[in-house]
Amino acid sequence: MPVYKAPVEDTLFLLNDVFNIGRYNNLPGFADATPDVLEAVLSEGAKVCEEILQPLNMSGDREGCVRHPDGTVSTPKGFKAAHEAYAGAGWIGLAMDPEYGGQGLPYTLGAVMNEYSSAANMAFAMYPGLTMGAIAALHVHGSDEQKRIYLPKMIEGVWSGTMNLTEPHCGTDLGLIKTKAVPQADGSYAITGTKIFISAGEQDITENIIHLVLARIEGAPAGTKGISLFVVPRNAIGADGSIGANNHVSCGSIEHKMGIHGNATCVMNYDGAQGWLIGTENKGLNAMFVMMNEARLGVAIQGLAQSEVAYQNAVAYAKERLQGRALTGPKAADKPADPIIVHPDVRRTLMSIKAFNEAARAFMLWNAIQSDVAHRSGDAAERQAAEDQLGLMTPVLKGVLTDIGFDNAVKAQQMFGGHGYIAEHGMEQFVRDARIAMIYEGANGVQAMDLVGRKLGRDGGRAVMAFFNEVGGFLKENVEDEALKPLLGPLQVSLGHLQQAAMWFMNNALAKPDNAGAGATDFMHLLGLVSLGYMWARMAKVAQDKLAAGADGASERLNAKLVTARFFMERSLPETAAHLARITSGADSTMALSADQF
């Protein structure tokens, strides 16, 4: 039976020591997030995830969701009660606006809870996660009346939320959307069309579902310039907030899919459903992107979460499984064989996952804090810098954390040998669940193209230049630190590779766009590796300083940080050279064959 323990101690180290979250006390909500409050909130959240959500992960996967003849959907046994406990304890409203019933704490804490809940039970976590994304979109773009009607119940968790983009004939290219919206005399719209792959589209855990639906108003311009966003409740809502009859919204079927079986992935039919415009006509993508960007960060966290839970189980197994003897002689002489964790290749595998997980957690939190700055700071320059960083790093977070998160789930499964392929150990579920994160909310190849095609050169490359300057500044500030030199040298080299790649695109992609397309994924991973390396350098600096100050009883954990940082710099960061070589090889061999030659 799989296990999970939320990494509270590591999270607190990052928030308090590495990123000094206290320096943001001038932002709304941060003053309340004192170290004591942080520890209490995260410890309690960990308990919910470990004791309520995780025990339902395997059973929920096996049972799955069931659509009934009347179009209703049953979630796995225990999910409804778990959702009531989760929502009832206020976790959905943790970072939401107090005006509508939220607690107003930093979004960063919500991101932490997203990691813990996704690691404990990814399929379950999607239900409240999608609701939080819908809340964010309504909070930014909804009218005062829409906020009054929907937000309190959604924050309370009595109602849930979804996002409806994809249609049978279009996925990433939303300009092809056919769902139509017909204006009505009362100011509402009649929404008609079919949406597919709608996570949590129908379920039995909340009394109503608030769908956010992209549709085209009759007569609107073609393409993405003619898309509007509508709020469409599954059931009509009375003036007093009471739930009425079905609003001509139905689940046509649920998908039978590779993983996340505990989440209902629905085909949704809208047959003249009553909906209301969110924001401005034909500006639906602007409004939906609030939810999509939150969702992309959430999916990045899912990649980290599956890597973390798979790692924890692989480590536990490697410490118990006896097989062979250590190359340097028996380590468990009283036993017939040594535990496999003594073997260098097992260590290499586990260390590669550990080094990623801890840096990825830092990378995620660094950007989550920037999201708080972007939304809460009163300083325009601070907001702009934070928005620049988020724009640049969101596709990197989504693409890199989910690509490597899936790879790590496979590596962790490998530690079990044949037992990893058997369902009872739970490792194959982590692999199956992790796989979707590379696909939804924009497939990772699309994320890479967005990064290279749109984000890299935006505003004259302001965001990437700021990143170069920040990492370069850190390297200069610590150039005299002899203890850090084994870490800073590799980071300097890899930063150079990244700068060379960016310059190569500038010189070779404008005249020949295929060069950008062929190198986009490599650039995304190159930027991701340098970002993870920068996170390790910062963590190592703090760990080293704390050890010098006495460590306060944490010397073992801090020394482990330094060793893991060195491993990353020696064994993972050198991959930047390969990415640079592939980028600068151009697109000729990639594009040379005709379609018939494949």
Side-chain angles (χ1 to χ4, degrees):
M1 187 74 177
V3 297
Y4 173 66
K5 183 171 179 57
V8 174
E9 188 175 58
D10 192 51
T11 306
L12 291 172
F13 167 73
L14 292 169
L15 291 176
N16 292 325
D17 300 317
V18 177
F19 299 120
N20 187 18
I21 195 170
R23 65 181 283 227
Y24 300 98
N25 281 351
N26 61 311
L27 302 183
F30 276 78
D32 297 327
T34 63
D36 287 346
V37 169
L38 284 177
E39 185 169 4
V41 168
L42 298 189
S43 297
E44 189 60 32
K47 187 184 301 183
V48 170
C49 295
E50 293 163 3
E51 297 178 4
I52 297 177
L53 305 189
Q54 193 275 336
L56 296 173
N57 192 40
M58 182 179 282
S59 62
D61 178 68
R62 290 176 176 173
E63 183 180 344
C65 297
V66 178
R67 179 188 179 277
H68 303 288
D70 64 355
T72 60
V73 171
S74 296
T75 53
K77 182 179 178 181
F79 271 43
K80 181 177 176 62
H83 189 272
E84 289 172 353
Y86 191 89
W91 294 110
I92 293 175
L94 187 68
M96 301 303 173
D97 190 341
E99 182 178 349
Y100 301 102
Q103 298 170 56
L105 288 168
Y107 162 78
T108 300
L109 294 190
V112 173
M113 275 302 294
N114 190 354
E115 183 200 338
Y116 295 178
S117 59
S118 294
N121 191 328
M122 179 169 156
F124 172 90
M126 291 172 66
Y127 292 105
L130 284 158
T131 300
M132 287 185 271
I135 290 169
L138 282 166
H139 190 263
V140 173
H141 291 284
S143 67
D144 289 342
E145 183 181 14
Q146 288 169 347
K147 295 176 189 179
R148 176 187 61 78
I149 293 171
Y150 299 111
L151 293 189
K153 291 285 190 181
M154 295 173 76
I155 288 171
E156 187 182 354
V158 177
W159 298 349
S160 61
T162 72
M163 56 192 297
N164 286 238
L165 290 79
T166 307
E167 299 183 5
H169 59 282
C170 72
T172 301
D173 190 353
L174 295 174
L176 300 176
I177 280 176
K178 294 180 180 178
T179 297
K180 66 179 181 179
V182 180
Q184 303 297 295
D186 63 358
S188 68
Y189 291 78
I191 310 296
T192 301
T194 296
K195 299 288 185 176
I196 63 169
F197 304 157
I198 308 305
S199 300
E202 181 57 65
Q203 37 79 1
D204 59 355
I205 61 176
T206 60
E207 67 179 26
N208 205 356
I209 303 173
I210 310 305
H211 298 289
L212 300 192
V213 183
L214 288 180
R216 193 181 303 280
I217 298 172
E218 285 189 323
T224 57
K225 294 181 178 180
I227 296 174
S228 299
L229 181 63
F230 300 87
V231 56
V232 186
R234 179 190 65 186
N235 289 77
I237 300 168
D240 60 354
S242 61
I243 303 300
N246 181 276
N247 183 26
H248 305 289
V249 177
S250 62
C251 170
S253 64
I254 55 175
E255 304 291 353
H256 300 280
K257 53 193 188 294
M258 179 177 177
I260 54 170
H261 293 156
N263 195 274
T265 305
C266 301
V267 174
M268 298 302 300
N269 296 319
Y270 295 86
D271 300 306
Q274 188 177 33
W276 289 265
L277 181 68
I278 298 175
T280 308
E281 283 189 16
N282 305 327
K283 300 293 184 181
L285 282 186
N286 293 349
M288 184 62 91
F289 264 116
V290 172
M291 187 171 185
M292 290 174 70
N293 284 333
E294 291 240 346
R296 284 170 178 166
L297 289 172
V299 172
I301 293 169
Q302 288 178 342
L304 163 61
Q306 293 306 293
S307 181
E308 174 66 31
V309 70
Y311 166 77
Q312 289 188 19
N313 284 272
V315 169
Y317 186 79
K319 291 178 179 179
E320 296 172 357
R321 174 69 172 179
L322 303 180
Q323 190 162 306
R325 289 295 189 186
L327 297 175
T328 53
K331 303 303 180 189
D334 59 329
K335 297 177 181 178
D338 289 331
I340 63 172
I341 200 166
V342 305
H343 302 309
D345 194 61
V346 169
R347 292 277 187 123
R348 176 194 62 81
T349 301
L350 294 176
M351 282 294 289
S352 68
I353 307 175
K354 175 181 173 65
F356 167 81
N357 289 350
E358 294 179 22
R361 182 171 299 112
F363 188 28
M364 178 272 289
L365 290 174
W366 181 44
N367 284 280
I369 291 170
Q370 294 308 304
S371 181
D372 275 315
V373 172
H375 290 103
R376 303 187 186 210
S377 176
D379 185 300
E382 279 187 355
R383 289 198 308 274
Q384 184 65 70
E387 288 168 2
D388 284 352
Q389 179 175 318
L390 285 169
L392 178 71
M393 292 301 183
T394 294
V396 180
L397 282 157
K398 197 281 183 184
V400 173
L401 267 59
T402 61
D403 273 354
I404 301 179
F406 173 75
D407 287 347
N408 286 346
V410 174
K411 289 177 181 176
Q413 182 191 34
Q414 188 76 9
M415 293 295 91
F416 285 69
H419 294 289
Y421 200 67
I422 305 302
E424 69 178 281
H425 288 278
M427 300 305 291
E428 55 85 34
Q429 182 188 347
F430 300 143
V431 172
R432 288 186 289 105
D433 285 354
R435 185 61 184 89
I436 185 57
M438 301 163 70
I439 298 173
Y440 59 15
E441 302 309 331
N444 286 356
V446 175
Q447 299 297 327
M449 287 298 299
D450 176 50
L451 172 66
V452 170
R454 296 176 62 240
K455 304 297 177 58
L456 187 59
R458 177 177 288 177
D459 299 311
R462 185 174 65 201
V464 76
M465 290 304 298
F467 177 72
F468 292 161
N469 290 337
E470 178 165 348
V471 180
F474 180 88
L475 291 166
K476 287 180 182 178
E477 288 169 13
N478 295 282
V479 69
E480 302 298 329
D481 191 327
E482 290 297 323
L484 278 182
K485 279 189 176 178
L487 308 181
L488 300 188
L491 180 58
Q492 181 77 67
V493 170
S494 290
L495 177 63
H497 292 158
L498 179 63
Q499 292 168 325
Q500 290 175 62
M503 183 62 67
W504 192 88
F505 278 141
M506 288 180 61
N507 294 331
N508 294 277
L510 289 177
K512 190 173 182 181
D514 281 345
N515 280 330
T521 291
D522 278 294
F523 187 85
M524 178 179 73
H525 278 275
L526 174 49
L527 177 51
L529 279 168
V530 174
S531 299
L532 295 174
Y534 176 47
M535 293 298 100
W536 267 122
R538 291 184 63 172
M539 287 188 284
K541 171 68 173 173
V542 171
Q544 179 180 285
D545 290 348
K546 288 178 75 68
L547 282 165
D552 195 23
S555 58
E556 184 176 352
R557 177 170 58 84
L558 295 171
N559 278 310
K561 285 286 182 191
L562 295 177
V563 172
T564 309
R566 196 179 73 213
F567 177 92
F568 184 88
M569 298 301 187
E570 293 174 354
R571 307 287 301 216
S572 298
L573 199 55
E575 293 173 15
T576 58
H579 289 302
L580 175 62
R582 287 194 286 263
I583 290 166
T584 56
S585 71
D588 289 349
S589 62
T590 301
M591 304 303 295
L593 297 182
S594 68
D596 291 339
Q597 290 176 291
F598 280 88

